[in-house]
Structure formats: C-alpha cells, structure tokens
Amino acid sequence: MNADSYDAMPPAGATAGEVLTRYLHERAAGFLRGLSLRGENEAEADALLRGSARRIGGALHTFGPLTDPAWAEPLRAELAWLSATLGREPQHAGRLARLLEALRRLSVAAPEGQEPVLAGGTGGAAPPAVPAPASGGPLALGAARAGALLERQLTLARTRAHSASLQAMGSSRFHALADAIAVLVSEVPLTPAAAQPAQAVLPQLAGQASQRLADAAAALPLGRAAHPYNADAVQAALGAELTADLQDAPWHQVRILLRLTRYAAEVTRAEGDTAERQRLADAARLLERHREAAESAAAVAAAARTPRIAPATAYALGVLHADQRHEVEAARFAFSRLWQPAVPGARRE
Amino acid sequence: MNADSYDAMPPAGATAGEVLTRYLHERAAGFLRGLSLRGENEAEADALLRGSARRIGGALHTFGPLTDPAWAEPLRAELAWLSATLGREPQHAGRLARLLEALRRLSVAAPEGQEPVLAGGTGGAAPPAVPAPASGGPLALGAARAGALLERQLTLARTRAHSASLQAMGSSRFHALADAIAVLVSEVPLTPAAAQPAQAVLPQLAGQASQRLADAAAALPLGRAAHPYNADAVQAALGAELTADLQDAPWHQVRILLRLTRYAAEVTRAEGDTAERQRLADAARLLERHREAAESAAAVAAAARTPRIAPATAYALGVLHADQRHEVEAARFAFSRLWQPAVPGARRE
C-alpha cells in the first residue's frame, strides 16, 4: 500500500493529536489519490483505496481515546463497508487461481515414460464437457470438470462483486464517505487526551493493541498445531459447515489483531527491531494464507452442493476440499512454529 | 509371532548351518503349531502360520548361500503364496476399520452447545439409506453413505478372502507345502558354505541385508518427506492410479527390506544395541502405517468408481481419499525424521 509515503519522522515533542492527525492526513491523501486513479487503473486504485481505508479505520480503532467517538465510530463503519465491498472481487479471483492451481497439482501426471492404466467406468457420468488431462484416469476427468464448475461459479461471483463495487463507488453512501475523508485531510476532531505528548500516549495505546494480539494468539491451540499432521483442520471437512467456522474464527481474529498491531506501529513510527517487524509480517502472511485456504475450502463445499453434478466431479471436489483444509492446517503449523518457536516437544511428531 | 520361543543362544563355535537349521526348526515347529491350532482359533492360527512362513522365507532369502537353491527357491515361492493368501482377510478387516474411523473423525460434530446450520440441497441425491449423524449437514450425510458403501464392499472382499483362505488350506498345494515344512523340522539341505563357523558367515550375510535396506532407504526422497505438509503424497489423489503406485513402490520396498533385516537379526541372535532394535521396530511400524494408508486410499478410489453413487457419497469418498493420502504423507514424514534425524534445514517449514 502507501505506507512508504509516510517516511518523515514526527517532530520531537509533538502532541499525540499532532502525530495521529499527520498519519490520518497521509492516509486520507492516499485515499483521494486512489479515487483519482480509478479511471486509469481500477485494480491498483481499489487496492490503494482499500489499504488507505483499512489504515484509517485501524488507527481510529487503536487510538480511539484521541478522537471524538461520535465522529470516529460511524466513519470506521463506513470504511469497513468500503473495504469489504472492494475486497470481494480480488478475493474471488485469488480463490479461483488458488483452486485451479491445487487441482493441477492434485492431477499431476505419472512420471514420464510411464503409461497410466485407465481403470473402470466413471460411475455412470455423462460425457465430459471439458477434456481430461492427457494422462489422467476417470478421476482426473472429474478434476477437469470440477475445475470448469469452479471457474463458472467463481467467475460469476467475481463479475457480481465487480458490479457491486461499481455500484458502491457511484452511490451517495460512497460520496458521503469520500467527503468525510476529504474533511479528514484538513481537520481531525480530537479529544482533550490528544493534547498530551505523543510519547506519553501513543506507545501505550499501541501497546494495548499488541497485548490484545498476544492474548488472542496465546489462546490459540498452538501446541497442538505445532505437531505436523495432527489432522485437526480437516476434521471439519465432512462435519457441519459450522464446525469449520467455529474452528477457524479464533485464527481469523488473530489475523485482524495482527493487522491492527502493524498499522499502530505505522502511527507510532516505532522503530522496533527489524526482526520483530519481520516476524509480524511473516505471521500476517501465514494467517492470510490460512484465510485464503479456509475460504477456498468453503467455496469448494458450496460448489459440491450444485444440483446434478456427476459423481466424478463431486469426488474431485471432495479431494480438493480436504486438500484446502490441509492447507489450513499447514498454515496453522507454520504460524505456530513462528509464533512459539520453543514449544517443548513440538519438534518431533 | 513366536520369536520369543527362540530364546536359547546357539552354542559357541557352532557352524553357520547349525545355527540356521536351529532357527528354521523353531520356525517350522511354530508353523506346525499354527496348523494344529486352526480348529480352535482361526485368526490366531493364521497369524502364527503367516509369521512362521514369512520368517522361514526371509531366512532362506538372506542366508541363501547356505542352503540348496533348488530346494529353497520353490519353497520360498510357496511360503510367499501362503503368506499372501492368509494375509488378505485381516488386511480387508483392518482397512475397513481404518476407513470407518477416518470417516468418523472427518465428520466430527461442531462443539457442544452449537447448533449446526443446515445448508442447501444435496445435489439431487436420493433419500439417505443410512441416517446421517445428529449434527452433520448434507456432506455428513454423504459420509454416512460412503461408510455404508465401503462397509458393503470391504465386507464382501473380506468374505471372499476368507473363502480363498479356506480353499487354500484344503488344497493339495498347501498339503505339499506343509509336508515340506515338516521335513524342515528334521532336515535342512545345506551347501558346503554352511560348514563354516557361524560367526564367520552369518553376520556377513545379515550385514548384506542391512546394507540393502540402507541403500534403498537412502534412495527415498527423505529430505523432501521430512518437510511437513509438502503435499507430495496427495499429488496422486486425482492423478492416474499409476502415479500413486509408482510413488509408493520404493517405500513399500524399504518396508520389505526392513522386515528381512529384522528377521536376519533373529537368526544371528545379534544382540545389537537396544536403541537400534527399537529404531528398526519403530521404522517398521511407520512403514506398515504407510502401506495401510496407501491401500486404504486405493480402496476408496475403487469405491468411488461404483456406478450410480450419489454426488454426496462421491464427495465424501474424495475427502476420505485425500485424507488417507495425507496419512501416507504423515507416515513418510515420521519415517524420515526417524531414519535421518539430522536432515539439515528440515526442522522448520
């Protein structure tokens, strides 16, 4: 995003309000830049809009005591709406790419020079709409059809998300939000607490965000997740949908708290140590992978409920679903090792 | 098996032939004991017969230069036939138990106090023949039907294997083998090499077996397997059947060489160090788990080719197949860590 543009240190002795305002100004400018870029490069513009919206919303959340809540709370809600709306299209696109890549990996051909043995029937399935890979059996045929089904469904979802984005950007709701951001560039409604020295207030509020992250991460089943092949995440594969949701929710929560902690560090310009910053960035990347795999698995389960699909297609979707739940587990494993590198007894199976 | 009954040390200064003969006598006696036990406890008797047959065959293989090949080779072939024939019924039973347990694990209910959200249709499937678990959605319904299908197919396979065992035990082929084993109790046709001192010959031949094992294990992709969640084994899940077979074969080969090494140690009465014996036993257990998971995955793929199964059933079979291929991968991971505990860089993802 546009974190790089905020590269000047705040003046020593500045008030908390001054530092926060300066950060919000920068982000608001980024937002308005994204808006003007939209005619040229929609994807880049949307990414800039989302990044700015998330950072403004995050700063207003973490440093809440410094701004007027009657102004900040509704603004945060509108920023969250915009960020979610603009995020859907790239998410559907990423999900489709991830699932097609997984299907390709799962349908890998036998090593060269080996002719595959084509086994039995395809379970009464109709002729394939999509040609099967050269060296696949009937199950690989199911993979091709599963890929075609996911492509149809996720492309449709993506098109709808794109329309929704366009509609949102043309709405009076968005124009009101853009107006509020434009005001933010000139003026931020501060509370009396914002008059204190930055060093007396900002590190403490950022520290609270870090503590919320630490607490939420400590409540995760990290010891268990650090044992490879514990098969926890895949438990949900044939259970009720809610099993997966309940199981994944605390990890998603940590992902959000991690983001807030990283944005708070942008405000305080905490130099921190590079290793710690890198650790947080790596952790964020792993939990992003966790989210993508979990949502991809859910998209596969949804595709499997399409009426009248062939058994070979359903079979391939089942394999793919379990594969994505294992990706969920792999992300949890990597996060656990990163977050608690010294879990006793977790090194070996 | 009956390894415990062979607990007296061979006399110091014995010839290689004397020590080998003594071992074969013990194992042949075990075989005949298994035969007489068959009327009382068929499963136990068959296990004793198989264990004895495998050990006799293994000793004849590893210590081949000590016995007349014109006698030993055909006997080994007949022992292998019997062992394979008797092994099928317990294998089908074990496979079914493993798969039903995996389905149960994969269909785990949401945590207590949470009501599952029952989602959409079941893909045009007919009403369920088997009731779905209390808190499962339509996919758990597929799990129940997949379980019923596997139960039917593997029970049928088991019944057929049982009939084949009974038929084999009543055949003239078996009677000829039992006669050959009875002869073995009294006399083993040795070569001149068997007249050498046991200490000069047996450790060397057993060492060759160990070397074959070490070479075959070193050729496995252990570095790769020691990285958890490498997704290698699951590559085969939607590929041609042959992909899995080709990928699994070297691991199965190591399992067999490991067994031969352990049986050879019974003949030489190598005291070895307890840690090394334990390591070999653990490695054998892991590669047995590898084989069971691989064969279970193949049984699931076979069930998925049943004509006219419901999509929800096929979906559950797909999830189960991928799960078993991940079990294959988990067994490889554990074996790799056991066999090469110091692979550089393999400790972390």
Side-chain angles (χ1 to χ4, degrees), chain A residues 136-148:
Chain A
L139 299 180
L141 196 143
R145 293 165 131 212

Side-chain angles (χ1 to χ4, degrees), chain B residues 239-257:
Chain B
E241 314 280 289
L242 200 64
T243 307
D245 292 348
L246 286 171
Q247 200 190 64
D248 298 343
W251 299 85
H252 294 329
Q253 180 63 12
V254 169
R255 181 176 55 80
I256 293 165
L257 292 174

Side-chain angles (χ1 to χ4, degrees), chain B residues 42-99:
Chain B
E42 208 171 274
E44 200 185 312
D46 284 3
L48 187 50
L49 283 168
R50 282 185 73 212
S52 303
R54 272 152 58 144
R55 283 176 167 79
I56 294 168
L60 293 179
H61 176 76
T62 302
F63 303 100
L66 307 185
T67 55
D68 178 4
W71 163 82
E73 290 303 317
L75 179 57
R76 275 183 57 212
E78 291 308 281
L79 289 165
W81 160 75
L82 181 71
S83 174
T85 304
L86 294 182
R88 269 176 217 122
E89 188 192 349
Q91 275 164 15
H92 286 302
R95 205 164 297 161
L96 178 59
R98 163 181 266 272
L99 290 173

Side-chain angles (χ1 to χ4, degrees), chain A residues 249-324:
Chain A
W251 299 84
H252 294 328
Q253 180 63 14
V254 170
R255 180 175 56 79
I256 291 165
L257 293 174
L258 195 45
R259 195 160 69 200
L260 288 173
T261 299
R262 296 177 72 214
Y263 292 167
E266 289 180 11
V267 175
T268 59
R269 309 287 301 144
E271 288 302 303
D273 64 301
T274 318
E276 176 62 10
R277 264 209 308 278
Q278 186 59 49
R279 177 169 167 268
L280 291 181
D282 289 346
R285 189 179 45 77
L286 291 172
L287 291 182
E288 188 56 32
R289 208 173 92 194
H290 179 273
R291 184 189 64 78
E292 283 168 6
E295 291 182 354
S296 297
V300 174
R305 286 192 293 274
T306 307
R308 285 176 296 284
I309 54 174
T313 310
Y315 182 82
L317 291 172
V319 168
L320 184 58
H321 182 103
D323 175 71
Q324 291 300 303

